[in-house]
Amino acid sequence: MFQPVIPLSGNSGWKFLEATYDRQLKSYTDSPQVKMDRDYLIEKFSEPVAVEDFLKDTRLLRVSLTAFDLGGEEWKRGFIDKVLSEVSDPDSTFLTRLNNPKYTAFANAMKPVDGKITLTPAAVSAMATQYESAAFEAAVGEVDDNMRISLNYKSEIGSIVGSSSSESAKIYRMLANVPVRTLLEGAMNLPSDIRKLPIERQADIFKERLQSTFGIRDVSELSSPEIIDKAIQRFHVMQSINEGISNYSPAAAALTLLGNGLGSQGSQNLFLSLL
């Protein structure tokens, strides 16, 4: 199995990951295990699948959940069964009360009809692609969890703040999204104790700090490429400071030596040649 290459921590590692993302993703998705999982997903959903059979098929359940960034939760069969049964009930408020966008997306995509999950070829293809990206992000997290948080933030912040919802609703969605909240708390250097406060007070603090830290007038501006880059950069800087990470780690020193001898592009090409 291909393991993502992240030779540095902090902003340097993030920039490297950004520059090599497409190449590394392809190397990862070309791995035999990932290809077999993708093919298995496509084969199984080429025809309707009974919910009971879906829940019994550990592999199909794992791959499907991973596609919605819910990997590792396949053991919650009873809960997943309830999610799928409730989404089919037009009068149910379960998913609204659950307030988990990932489970909501999963439930709406898999919504059973007459006890069976029936997906179009286009939907299955999209899920297979989502699985590859989400599985790669999970693999990145095994190397450096801060990089996975950054990838999650970059891919999810737009959908959170890009809707026509009120400012308050967008703030509450950010607070409910673990990677987005984690990155913003780090970028704004907010203490972890903030989570002990009433949720209304947390929302007020978030709104104030977002405006003062990023110079924005409304939270929808967080989706701009410039602000996304600024937020991720600040997150890594604050993590480096708080965790006491040295800029002169062995990997950084090696890259510096390579840079002096080969130039920055030559250094990157050397690392790329290893992928």
Side-chain angles (χ1 to χ4, degrees):
M1 176 72 75
F2 173 83
Q3 184 179 46
V5 177
I6 307 173
L8 302 166
S9 60
N11 271 316
S12 297
W14 170 246
K15 292 301 181 184
F16 179 85
L17 179 59
E18 277 195 307
T20 62
Y21 180 87
D22 291 341
R23 178 85 173 268
Q24 295 209 52
L25 175 62
K26 186 177 188 309
S27 294
Y28 181 80
T29 55
D30 283 343
S31 299
Q33 184 61 55
V34 177
K35 292 177 72 174
M36 287 190 292
D37 281 345
R38 177 191 173 98
D39 292 344
Y40 189 79
L41 178 81
I42 293 172
E43 177 190 353
K44 286 296 183 178
F45 282 126
S46 64
E47 57 185 19
V49 178
V51 171
E52 182 180 0
D53 293 335
F54 175 66
L55 294 172
K56 289 179 179 177
D57 191 329
T58 304
R59 185 179 185 184
L60 184 59
L61 189 59
R62 171 181 59 80
V63 176
S64 300
L65 286 169
T66 298
F68 294 89
D69 202 22
L70 292 168
E73 304 212 353
E74 53 270 18
W75 61 275
K76 299 180 179 179
R77 286 182 175 81
F79 177 75
I80 295 166
D81 188 20
K82 181 172 179 60
V83 167
L84 294 175
S85 64
E86 293 289 340
V87 74
S88 301
D89 181 358
D91 297 322
S92 174
T93 61
F94 175 76
L95 287 170
T96 301
R97 289 182 284 109
L98 182 62
N99 193 30
N100 187 316
K102 293 177 182 178
Y103 265 111
T104 298
F106 167 77
N108 287 329
M110 310 293 281
K111 191 174 182 178
V113 176
D114 297 328
K116 292 186 177 182
I117 301 170
T118 305
L119 304 178
T120 65
V124 176
S125 178
M127 191 187 302
T129 300
Q130 288 173 212
Y131 163 71
E132 292 175 335
S133 297
F136 177 66
E137 289 185 6
V140 166
E142 293 176 5
V143 178
D144 188 326
D145 197 49
N146 286 337
M147 300 302 169
R148 182 183 186 182
I149 290 172
S150 300
L151 288 173
N152 287 161
Y153 179 84
K154 187 175 181 179
S155 64
E156 295 177 17
I157 189 62
S159 62
I160 292 176
V161 303
S163 68
S164 58
S165 302
S166 67
E167 290 278 288
S168 295
K170 293 173 184 177
I171 294 289
Y172 285 120
R173 287 198 190 105
M174 282 188 274
L175 292 174
N177 186 296
V178 174
V180 168
R181 175 176 186 144
T182 300
L183 187 137
L184 288 175
E185 282 183 343
M188 297 186 294
N189 200 28
L190 288 172
S192 58
D193 284 352
I194 186 178
R195 302 190 184 198
K196 298 178 182 179
L197 298 174
I199 191 66
E200 295 81 7
R201 180 57 183 147
Q202 294 181 43
D204 288 340
I205 292 173
F206 246 67
K207 185 174 182 179
E208 293 168 4
R209 292 294 287 270
L210 285 169
Q211 291 175 341
S212 62
T213 302
F214 301 110
I216 59 176
R217 287 179 291 182
D218 61 75
V219 295
S220 64
E221 294 177 57
L222 287 173
S223 63
S224 74
E226 295 79 9
I227 300 298
I228 290 175
D229 286 344
K230 182 177 181 179
I232 294 175
Q233 181 179 15
R234 284 183 61 89
F235 168 70
H236 285 293
V237 168
M238 296 311 303
Q239 289 297 109
S240 295
I241 293 173
N242 293 333
E243 295 175 5
I245 298 175
S246 171
N247 288 330
Y248 292 96
S249 63
L255 191 61
T256 299
L257 291 172
L258 287 170
N260 289 337
L262 301 174
S264 59
Q265 186 61 50
S267 303
Q268 188 180 103
N269 288 340
L270 178 58
F271 279 114
L272 284 172
S273 69
L274 302 175
L275 303 183

